[in-house]
Amino acid sequence: MSRIDLHLHTTHSDGSFSAAEVLRFAHKAGVTALAITDHDIVSGIPEAIATGAELGIEIIPGVEISSCVGKTELHILGYCMDWQDPELSRRLATLRASRHTRNPQIIERLRSLGLDITYEEVRTLAGTDSVGRPHIARLLIEKKYVTSAKDAFDRYLSEGRPAYVARELPQPADAIAWIRAAGGVAVLAHPTWAKVSGEGLNTLLATLKAEGLGGIEVHYSTHSKRQTTEYLDLAKRLDLLVTGGSDFHGITKPDIEVGTGLGDLKVSEKLLDPLKKAALLAHHS
Ligand SMILES: [Zn+2]
Ligand SMILES: [Zn+2]
């Protein structure tokens, strides 16, 4: 049985490899279908489709939208949507604009801590409109202020650290609605971020489902066996689709590989058909 990978980042957001390079890694890992899910942007999809056609890899249109409930950041994955939908493009552009409000504030804080960096340098290094903290981390590594992306987050960029700035994010219900309006299926990414388990997670998922959530990312690079089992049970209980992916980023998450995650990830191709069927239903409702 071949494997798939429905969660991958490229240089179109905070990944360090192009879509074509990610697809070549996928090909080597025996991945037969994948979704490029860059943060708040879909511009990597055409390159993925072109390379996918060459390598015989099926491309599922994808995106990952950041949202929050109170202080908890939740990421909503969108699949099988019409990624060229003009309304979706407009909404994603608005989200990216909010990144350009936050990032200069982070840079200001770093400068006030004595670090000599500018937002222009970060934007040049990023080379994309979907600029995020991992790009800032990369510049800090280049300038030898930190030794790794983890070091940058631990010392400066994570919540509670001196250069942390909260970002205005949409509610999950909005992200879900935007994906559905473009004919896609909305899936809760890496559910550990919800910081609740058991009944708490059940309640959260039931709320999100009432708001239109279609699935949950059960298989994920850093999930323990116990977590995978818990999420699988919740998906069954709430009649949610099951998805999975590595969340490959390249150098900012150096241990995670396309298709295999930390080594033992295997997402079954059997998960694809239910996802596509749900998207078809969304299109016709
Ligand atoms: Zn995420
Ligand atoms: Zn991701």
Side-chain angles (χ1 to χ4, degrees), residues 7 9 39 64 75 189-190 193 220 247 249 253:
H7 193 157
H9 295 274
H39 297 286
E64 181 172 24
H75 289 177
H190 39 68
W193 282 35
Y220 188 74
D247 208 0
H249 278 74
K253 292 186 182 183

PDB file of all heavy atoms in Angstrom, residues 7 9 39 64 75 189-190 193 220 247 249 253, ligand 1:
ATOM      1  N   HIS A   7       0.199  17.314   4.262  1.00  0.00           N
ATOM      2  CA  HIS A   7       0.575  18.515   5.018  1.00  0.00           C
ATOM      3  C   HIS A   7       2.043  18.836   4.756  1.00  0.00           C
ATOM      4  O   HIS A   7       2.930  18.248   5.367  1.00  0.00           O
ATOM      5  CB  HIS A   7       0.302  18.270   6.515  1.00  0.00           C
ATOM      6  CG  HIS A   7       0.352  19.505   7.354  1.00  0.00           C
ATOM      7  ND1 HIS A   7      -0.288  19.607   8.580  1.00  0.00           N
ATOM      8  CD2 HIS A   7       0.951  20.712   7.162  1.00  0.00           C
ATOM      9  CE1 HIS A   7      -0.078  20.809   9.099  1.00  0.00           C
ATOM     10  NE2 HIS A   7       0.687  21.503   8.254  1.00  0.00           N
ATOM     11  N   HIS A   9       4.930  22.134   3.547  1.00  0.00           N
ATOM     12  CA  HIS A   9       5.197  23.564   3.314  1.00  0.00           C
ATOM     13  C   HIS A   9       6.346  23.753   2.333  1.00  0.00           C
ATOM     14  O   HIS A   9       7.267  22.940   2.277  1.00  0.00           O
ATOM     15  CB  HIS A   9       5.500  24.263   4.638  1.00  0.00           C
ATOM     16  CG  HIS A   9       4.319  24.270   5.552  1.00  0.00           C
ATOM     17  ND1 HIS A   9       3.350  25.246   5.503  1.00  0.00           N
ATOM     18  CD2 HIS A   9       3.909  23.393   6.501  1.00  0.00           C
ATOM     19  CE1 HIS A   9       2.413  24.981   6.402  1.00  0.00           C
ATOM     20  NE2 HIS A   9       2.724  23.856   7.015  1.00  0.00           N
ATOM     21  N   HIS A  39       1.014  28.332   4.483  1.00  0.00           N
ATOM     22  CA  HIS A  39       0.252  29.186   5.394  1.00  0.00           C
ATOM     23  C   HIS A  39      -0.393  30.356   4.636  1.00  0.00           C
ATOM     24  O   HIS A  39       0.305  31.205   4.083  1.00  0.00           O
ATOM     25  CB  HIS A  39       1.163  29.772   6.477  1.00  0.00           C
ATOM     26  CG  HIS A  39       1.784  28.736   7.369  1.00  0.00           C
ATOM     27  ND1 HIS A  39       1.079  28.052   8.346  1.00  0.00           N
ATOM     28  CD2 HIS A  39       3.039  28.242   7.425  1.00  0.00           C
ATOM     29  CE1 HIS A  39       1.887  27.211   8.956  1.00  0.00           C
ATOM     30  NE2 HIS A  39       3.081  27.301   8.426  1.00  0.00           N
ATOM     31  N   GLU A  64      -3.236  26.065   4.567  1.00  0.00           N
ATOM     32  CA  GLU A  64      -3.339  26.005   6.028  1.00  0.00           C
ATOM     33  C   GLU A  64      -3.592  27.424   6.534  1.00  0.00           C
ATOM     34  O   GLU A  64      -2.759  28.311   6.344  1.00  0.00           O
ATOM     35  CB  GLU A  64      -2.062  25.431   6.653  1.00  0.00           C
ATOM     36  CG  GLU A  64      -2.145  25.329   8.183  1.00  0.00           C
ATOM     37  CD  GLU A  64      -0.965  24.575   8.806  1.00  0.00           C
ATOM     38  OE1 GLU A  64       0.120  24.523   8.193  1.00  0.00           O
ATOM     39  OE2 GLU A  64      -1.142  24.044   9.927  1.00  0.00           O
ATOM     40  N   HIS A  75      -4.879  25.761  13.716  1.00  0.00           N
ATOM     41  CA  HIS A  75      -4.666  25.832  12.271  1.00  0.00           C
ATOM     42  C   HIS A  75      -5.711  24.979  11.560  1.00  0.00           C
ATOM     43  O   HIS A  75      -5.930  23.837  11.931  1.00  0.00           O
ATOM     44  CB  HIS A  75      -3.257  25.378  11.916  1.00  0.00           C
ATOM     45  CG  HIS A  75      -2.205  26.368  12.341  1.00  0.00           C
ATOM     46  ND1 HIS A  75      -0.859  26.149  12.187  1.00  0.00           N
ATOM     47  CD2 HIS A  75      -2.328  27.601  12.902  1.00  0.00           C
ATOM     48  CE1 HIS A  75      -0.191  27.210  12.640  1.00  0.00           C
ATOM     49  NE2 HIS A  75      -1.060  28.089  13.093  1.00  0.00           N
ATOM     50  N   ALA A 189      -5.860  20.950  11.950  1.00  0.00           N
ATOM     51  CA  ALA A 189      -4.464  20.499  11.881  1.00  0.00           C
ATOM     52  C   ALA A 189      -3.942  20.215  13.286  1.00  0.00           C
ATOM     53  O   ALA A 189      -4.463  20.762  14.271  1.00  0.00           O
ATOM     54  CB  ALA A 189      -3.598  21.570  11.223  1.00  0.00           C
ATOM     55  N   HIS A 190      -2.899  19.387  13.356  1.00  0.00           N
ATOM     56  CA  HIS A 190      -2.196  19.063  14.614  1.00  0.00           C
ATOM     57  C   HIS A 190      -3.025  19.396  15.879  1.00  0.00           C
ATOM     58  O   HIS A 190      -2.752  20.372  16.581  1.00  0.00           O
ATOM     59  CB  HIS A 190      -0.830  19.739  14.682  1.00  0.00           C
ATOM     60  CG  HIS A 190      -0.773  21.150  14.127  1.00  0.00           C
ATOM     61  ND1 HIS A 190      -1.408  22.206  14.719  1.00  0.00           N
ATOM     62  CD2 HIS A 190      -0.174  21.650  13.028  1.00  0.00           C
ATOM     63  CE1 HIS A 190      -1.188  23.305  14.008  1.00  0.00           C
ATOM     64  NE2 HIS A 190      -0.444  22.995  12.974  1.00  0.00           N
ATOM     65  N   TRP A 193      -2.338  21.199  19.404  1.00  0.00           N
ATOM     66  CA  TRP A 193      -2.284  22.640  19.628  1.00  0.00           C
ATOM     67  C   TRP A 193      -3.494  23.147  20.411  1.00  0.00           C
ATOM     68  O   TRP A 193      -3.455  24.219  21.007  1.00  0.00           O
ATOM     69  CB  TRP A 193      -2.195  23.404  18.299  1.00  0.00           C
ATOM     70  CG  TRP A 193      -0.838  23.408  17.693  1.00  0.00           C
ATOM     71  CD1 TRP A 193       0.074  22.392  17.731  1.00  0.00           C
ATOM     72  CD2 TRP A 193      -0.223  24.468  16.944  1.00  0.00           C
ATOM     73  NE1 TRP A 193       1.216  22.757  17.042  1.00  0.00           N
ATOM     74  CE2 TRP A 193       1.064  24.018  16.548  1.00  0.00           C
ATOM     75  CE3 TRP A 193      -0.637  25.743  16.551  1.00  0.00           C
ATOM     76  CZ2 TRP A 193       1.932  24.804  15.797  1.00  0.00           C
ATOM     77  CZ3 TRP A 193       0.226  26.525  15.797  1.00  0.00           C
ATOM     78  CH2 TRP A 193       1.500  26.058  15.427  1.00  0.00           C
ATOM     79  N   TYR A 220       0.168  12.373  12.206  1.00  0.00           N
ATOM     80  CA  TYR A 220       1.025  13.564  12.196  1.00  0.00           C
ATOM     81  C   TYR A 220       2.391  13.173  12.745  1.00  0.00           C
ATOM     82  O   TYR A 220       2.494  12.334  13.650  1.00  0.00           O
ATOM     83  CB  TYR A 220       0.367  14.631  13.080  1.00  0.00           C
ATOM     84  CG  TYR A 220       1.021  16.002  13.037  1.00  0.00           C
ATOM     85  CD1 TYR A 220       0.858  16.832  11.924  1.00  0.00           C
ATOM     86  CD2 TYR A 220       1.782  16.470  14.104  1.00  0.00           C
ATOM     87  CE1 TYR A 220       1.438  18.084  11.889  1.00  0.00           C
ATOM     88  CE2 TYR A 220       2.366  17.727  14.071  1.00  0.00           C
ATOM     89  CZ  TYR A 220       2.189  18.533  12.958  1.00  0.00           C
ATOM     90  OH  TYR A 220       2.759  19.784  12.922  1.00  0.00           O
ATOM     91  N   ASP A 247       3.801  17.697   7.894  1.00  0.00           N
ATOM     92  CA  ASP A 247       4.078  19.103   8.232  1.00  0.00           C
ATOM     93  C   ASP A 247       5.556  19.419   7.957  1.00  0.00           C
ATOM     94  O   ASP A 247       6.209  20.156   8.695  1.00  0.00           O
ATOM     95  CB  ASP A 247       3.720  19.418   9.692  1.00  0.00           C
ATOM     96  CG  ASP A 247       3.337  20.892   9.895  1.00  0.00           C
ATOM     97  OD1 ASP A 247       3.358  21.659   8.911  1.00  0.00           O
ATOM     98  OD2 ASP A 247       3.029  21.270  11.043  1.00  0.00           O
ATOM     99  N   HIS A 249       8.751  21.117   6.732  1.00  0.00           N
ATOM    100  CA  HIS A 249       9.142  22.516   6.496  1.00  0.00           C
ATOM    101  C   HIS A 249      10.552  22.633   5.936  1.00  0.00           C
ATOM    102  O   HIS A 249      10.969  23.722   5.537  1.00  0.00           O
ATOM    103  CB  HIS A 249       9.095  23.324   7.800  1.00  0.00           C
ATOM    104  CG  HIS A 249       7.732  23.825   8.182  1.00  0.00           C
ATOM    105  ND1 HIS A 249       6.752  23.012   8.688  1.00  0.00           N
ATOM    106  CD2 HIS A 249       7.187  25.074   8.126  1.00  0.00           C
ATOM    107  CE1 HIS A 249       5.666  23.738   8.935  1.00  0.00           C
ATOM    108  NE2 HIS A 249       5.897  24.988   8.601  1.00  0.00           N
ATOM    109  N   LYS A 253      12.382  22.556  10.582  1.00  0.00           N
ATOM    110  CA  LYS A 253      12.034  21.329  11.329  1.00  0.00           C
ATOM    111  C   LYS A 253      12.895  20.217  10.741  1.00  0.00           C
ATOM    112  O   LYS A 253      12.393  19.336  10.038  1.00  0.00           O
ATOM    113  CB  LYS A 253      10.550  20.987  11.160  1.00  0.00           C
ATOM    114  CG  LYS A 253       9.589  21.976  11.815  1.00  0.00           C
ATOM    115  CD  LYS A 253       8.154  21.450  11.711  1.00  0.00           C
ATOM    116  CE  LYS A 253       7.164  22.442  12.315  1.00  0.00           C
ATOM    117  NZ  LYS A 253       5.787  21.910  12.291  1.00  0.00           N
TER     118      LYS A 253
HETATM  119 ZN    ZN B   1       0.142  24.400  11.535  1.00  0.00          ZN
END
